[in-house]
Short mmCIF file of all heavy atoms in Angstrom, two decimals:
data_model
loop_
_atom_site.label_atom_id
_atom_site.label_comp_id
_atom_site.label_asym_id
_atom_site.label_seq_id
_atom_site.Cartn_x
_atom_site.Cartn_y
_atom_site.Cartn_z
N ARG A 420 1.88 3.23 -22.79
CA ARG A 420 2.16 3.56 -21.44
C ARG A 420 2.19 2.39 -20.61
O ARG A 420 1.85 2.31 -19.40
CB ARG A 420 0.99 4.56 -20.87
CG ARG A 420 0.93 5.84 -21.70
CD ARG A 420 2.30 6.56 -21.59
NE ARG A 420 2.17 7.89 -22.14
CZ ARG A 420 3.11 8.80 -22.26
NH1 ARG A 420 4.34 8.47 -21.61
NH2 ARG A 420 3.03 10.03 -22.74
N GLN A 421 2.68 1.20 -21.15
CA GLN A 421 2.64 -0.05 -20.45
C GLN A 421 3.48 0.03 -19.24
O GLN A 421 3.33 -0.90 -18.25
CB GLN A 421 3.07 -1.15 -21.39
CG GLN A 421 4.48 -0.95 -22.00
CD GLN A 421 4.88 -2.02 -22.98
OE1 GLN A 421 5.46 -3.08 -22.67
NE2 GLN A 421 4.41 -1.70 -24.23
N ASP A 422 4.38 0.88 -19.11
CA ASP A 422 5.32 1.03 -17.95
C ASP A 422 4.77 1.90 -16.75
O ASP A 422 5.43 2.07 -15.76
CB ASP A 422 6.70 1.54 -18.33
CG ASP A 422 7.42 0.63 -19.27
OD1 ASP A 422 7.46 -0.62 -18.91
OD2 ASP A 422 8.01 1.06 -20.25
N ARG A 423 3.55 2.46 -17.00
CA ARG A 423 3.03 3.44 -16.05
C ARG A 423 1.63 3.07 -15.50
O ARG A 423 1.02 3.88 -14.90
CB ARG A 423 2.99 4.84 -16.68
CG ARG A 423 4.33 5.29 -17.39
CD ARG A 423 5.20 5.99 -16.44
NE ARG A 423 4.72 7.28 -16.06
CZ ARG A 423 4.86 8.39 -16.71
NH1 ARG A 423 5.47 8.30 -17.90
NH2 ARG A 423 4.49 9.58 -16.28
N ILE A 424 1.17 1.91 -15.87
CA ILE A 424 -0.27 1.49 -15.51
C ILE A 424 -0.13 0.27 -14.57
O ILE A 424 0.60 -0.64 -14.77
CB ILE A 424 -1.02 1.06 -16.85
CG1 ILE A 424 -0.94 2.28 -17.83
CG2 ILE A 424 -2.45 0.74 -16.40
CD1 ILE A 424 -1.61 1.78 -19.19
N LEU A 425 -0.99 0.36 -13.56
CA LEU A 425 -1.09 -0.74 -12.49
C LEU A 425 -2.46 -1.27 -12.46
O LEU A 425 -3.41 -0.53 -12.73
CB LEU A 425 -0.63 -0.19 -11.15
CG LEU A 425 0.83 0.22 -11.03
CD1 LEU A 425 0.93 1.76 -11.26
CD2 LEU A 425 1.45 -0.16 -9.69
N PHE A 426 -2.55 -2.56 -11.98
CA PHE A 426 -3.97 -3.13 -11.78
C PHE A 426 -4.45 -2.74 -10.47
O PHE A 426 -3.75 -2.80 -9.45
CB PHE A 426 -3.82 -4.62 -11.97
CG PHE A 426 -5.13 -5.34 -11.86
CD1 PHE A 426 -5.81 -5.67 -12.99
CD2 PHE A 426 -5.75 -5.58 -10.61
CE1 PHE A 426 -7.08 -6.31 -12.89
CE2 PHE A 426 -7.00 -6.13 -10.51
CZ PHE A 426 -7.70 -6.53 -11.66
N GLY A 427 -5.70 -2.31 -10.44
CA GLY A 427 -6.34 -2.01 -9.22
C GLY A 427 -7.88 -2.35 -9.38
O GLY A 427 -8.40 -2.25 -10.48
N LYS A 428 -8.57 -2.62 -8.37
CA LYS A 428 -10.01 -2.85 -8.44
C LYS A 428 -10.83 -2.02 -7.61
O LYS A 428 -11.95 -1.63 -7.93
CB LYS A 428 -10.19 -4.36 -8.02
CG LYS A 428 -11.69 -4.79 -7.81
CD LYS A 428 -12.52 -4.78 -9.02
CE LYS A 428 -13.85 -5.43 -8.78
NZ LYS A 428 -14.65 -4.65 -7.83
N ASP A 429 -10.43 -1.66 -6.32
CA ASP A 429 -11.07 -0.83 -5.37
C ASP A 429 -12.04 -1.78 -4.55
O ASP A 429 -11.54 -2.35 -3.62
CB ASP A 429 -11.77 0.34 -6.04
CG ASP A 429 -12.15 1.37 -4.99
OD1 ASP A 429 -11.88 1.17 -3.74
OD2 ASP A 429 -12.66 2.49 -5.37
N SER A 430 -13.32 -1.79 -4.76
CA SER A 430 -14.25 -2.54 -3.98
C SER A 430 -13.95 -4.04 -3.93
O SER A 430 -13.60 -4.59 -5.12
CB SER A 430 -15.66 -2.25 -4.31
OG SER A 430 -15.88 -2.76 -5.72
N TRP A 431 -13.99 -4.71 -2.91
CA TRP A 431 -13.72 -6.15 -2.75
C TRP A 431 -14.97 -6.96 -3.05
O TRP A 431 -15.68 -7.31 -2.15
CB TRP A 431 -13.06 -6.46 -1.43
CG TRP A 431 -12.85 -7.98 -1.22
CD1 TRP A 431 -13.41 -8.71 -0.30
CD2 TRP A 431 -11.96 -8.88 -2.02
NE1 TRP A 431 -13.03 -10.04 -0.41
CE2 TRP A 431 -12.15 -10.12 -1.48
CE3 TRP A 431 -11.16 -8.65 -3.07
CZ2 TRP A 431 -11.46 -11.26 -1.96
CZ3 TRP A 431 -10.52 -9.80 -3.61
CH2 TRP A 431 -10.69 -11.03 -3.15
N VAL A 432 -15.19 -7.20 -4.32
CA VAL A 432 -16.26 -8.07 -4.80
C VAL A 432 -15.66 -9.04 -5.80
O VAL A 432 -15.51 -8.77 -6.94
CB VAL A 432 -17.43 -7.28 -5.46
CG1 VAL A 432 -18.61 -8.27 -5.80
CG2 VAL A 432 -17.98 -6.20 -4.62
N PRO A 433 -15.25 -10.24 -5.36
CA PRO A 433 -14.49 -11.12 -6.13
C PRO A 433 -15.11 -11.47 -7.46
O PRO A 433 -14.29 -11.58 -8.56
CB PRO A 433 -14.40 -12.40 -5.33
CG PRO A 433 -14.42 -11.93 -3.86
CD PRO A 433 -15.37 -10.76 -3.88
N ALA A 434 -16.36 -11.56 -7.59
CA ALA A 434 -17.11 -11.87 -8.81
C ALA A 434 -16.83 -10.83 -9.95
O ALA A 434 -16.91 -11.08 -11.10
CB ALA A 434 -18.51 -12.15 -8.66
N GLU A 435 -16.57 -9.57 -9.45
CA GLU A 435 -16.46 -8.50 -10.47
C GLU A 435 -15.09 -8.48 -11.14
O GLU A 435 -14.99 -7.79 -12.20
CB GLU A 435 -16.74 -7.16 -9.77
CG GLU A 435 -18.09 -7.01 -9.28
CD GLU A 435 -18.38 -5.66 -8.58
OE1 GLU A 435 -17.40 -4.96 -8.34
OE2 GLU A 435 -19.56 -5.45 -8.20
N TYR A 436 -14.13 -9.21 -10.67
CA TYR A 436 -12.79 -9.21 -11.31
C TYR A 436 -12.87 -9.79 -12.66
O TYR A 436 -12.08 -9.51 -13.52
CB TYR A 436 -11.75 -9.96 -10.41
CG TYR A 436 -11.29 -9.23 -9.22
CD1 TYR A 436 -12.02 -9.17 -8.10
CD2 TYR A 436 -10.01 -8.60 -9.31
CE1 TYR A 436 -11.42 -8.48 -6.98
CE2 TYR A 436 -9.47 -7.92 -8.23
CZ TYR A 436 -10.26 -7.81 -7.03
OH TYR A 436 -9.79 -7.09 -5.97
N ALA A 437 -13.85 -10.65 -12.90
CA ALA A 437 -13.98 -11.34 -14.21
C ALA A 437 -14.03 -10.29 -15.38
O ALA A 437 -13.48 -10.56 -16.41
CB ALA A 437 -15.19 -12.28 -14.19
N THR A 438 -14.80 -9.22 -15.13
CA THR A 438 -14.87 -8.16 -16.14
C THR A 438 -13.52 -7.62 -16.43
O THR A 438 -13.19 -7.43 -17.65
CB THR A 438 -15.85 -7.00 -15.71
OG1 THR A 438 -17.07 -7.54 -15.26
CG2 THR A 438 -15.97 -5.98 -16.77
N TYR A 439 -12.67 -7.41 -15.48
CA TYR A 439 -11.33 -6.86 -15.70
C TYR A 439 -10.51 -7.76 -16.57
O TYR A 439 -9.84 -7.42 -17.55
CB TYR A 439 -10.66 -6.60 -14.34
CG TYR A 439 -11.21 -5.41 -13.58
CD1 TYR A 439 -12.43 -5.49 -12.98
CD2 TYR A 439 -10.44 -4.22 -13.58
CE1 TYR A 439 -12.93 -4.33 -12.31
CE2 TYR A 439 -10.99 -3.13 -12.86
CZ TYR A 439 -12.19 -3.15 -12.29
OH TYR A 439 -12.66 -2.03 -11.55
N PHE A 440 -10.53 -9.07 -16.09
CA PHE A 440 -9.77 -10.13 -16.90
C PHE A 440 -10.16 -10.17 -18.37
O PHE A 440 -9.34 -10.17 -19.29
CB PHE A 440 -9.89 -11.48 -16.23
CG PHE A 440 -9.47 -11.55 -14.82
CD1 PHE A 440 -10.06 -12.49 -13.96
CD2 PHE A 440 -8.59 -10.65 -14.19
CE1 PHE A 440 -9.79 -12.50 -12.61
CE2 PHE A 440 -8.25 -10.67 -12.85
CZ PHE A 440 -8.89 -11.57 -12.04
N ARG A 441 -11.54 -10.13 -18.55
CA ARG A 441 -11.97 -10.34 -19.90
C ARG A 441 -11.69 -9.17 -20.72
O ARG A 441 -11.36 -9.26 -21.94
CB ARG A 441 -13.47 -10.48 -19.86
CG ARG A 441 -14.11 -11.07 -21.12
CD ARG A 441 -15.56 -11.53 -20.89
NE ARG A 441 -16.11 -12.07 -22.14
CZ ARG A 441 -17.37 -12.39 -22.31
NH1 ARG A 441 -18.26 -12.29 -21.23
NH2 ARG A 441 -17.80 -12.95 -23.44
N VAL A 442 -11.82 -7.92 -20.20
CA VAL A 442 -11.49 -6.69 -20.98
C VAL A 442 -9.98 -6.66 -21.30
O VAL A 442 -9.61 -6.36 -22.42
CB VAL A 442 -11.88 -5.43 -20.21
CG1 VAL A 442 -11.27 -4.18 -20.85
CG2 VAL A 442 -13.42 -5.28 -20.11
N LEU A 443 -9.11 -6.94 -20.33
CA LEU A 443 -7.69 -6.82 -20.60
C LEU A 443 -7.13 -7.99 -21.37
O LEU A 443 -6.28 -7.73 -22.21
CB LEU A 443 -6.94 -6.86 -19.21
CG LEU A 443 -7.25 -5.66 -18.26
CD1 LEU A 443 -6.55 -5.88 -16.90
CD2 LEU A 443 -6.83 -4.30 -18.90
N GLU A 444 -7.67 -9.23 -21.26
CA GLU A 444 -6.99 -10.39 -21.77
C GLU A 444 -7.59 -10.82 -23.15
O GLU A 444 -6.89 -11.42 -23.95
CB GLU A 444 -7.04 -11.49 -20.78
CG GLU A 444 -6.30 -11.30 -19.49
CD GLU A 444 -6.40 -12.45 -18.64
OE1 GLU A 444 -6.83 -13.54 -19.04
OE2 GLU A 444 -6.00 -12.29 -17.41
N THR A 445 -8.86 -10.66 -23.37
CA THR A 445 -9.53 -11.32 -24.56
C THR A 445 -9.77 -10.30 -25.62
O THR A 445 -9.68 -9.02 -25.42
CB THR A 445 -10.90 -11.96 -24.10
OG1 THR A 445 -11.84 -10.99 -23.98
CG2 THR A 445 -10.77 -12.73 -22.80
#
Side-chain angles (χ1 to χ4, degrees):
R420 297 301 185 180
Q421 58 187 270
D422 296 314
R423 307 274 289 279
I424 307 170
L425 298 93
F426 185 97
K428 169 66 173 63
D429 197 355
S430 61
W431 174 241
V432 184
E435 294 178 354
Y436 281 82
T438 305
Y439 287 73
F440 305 152
R441 196 172 182 184
V442 168
L443 296 175
E444 297 180 14
T445 79

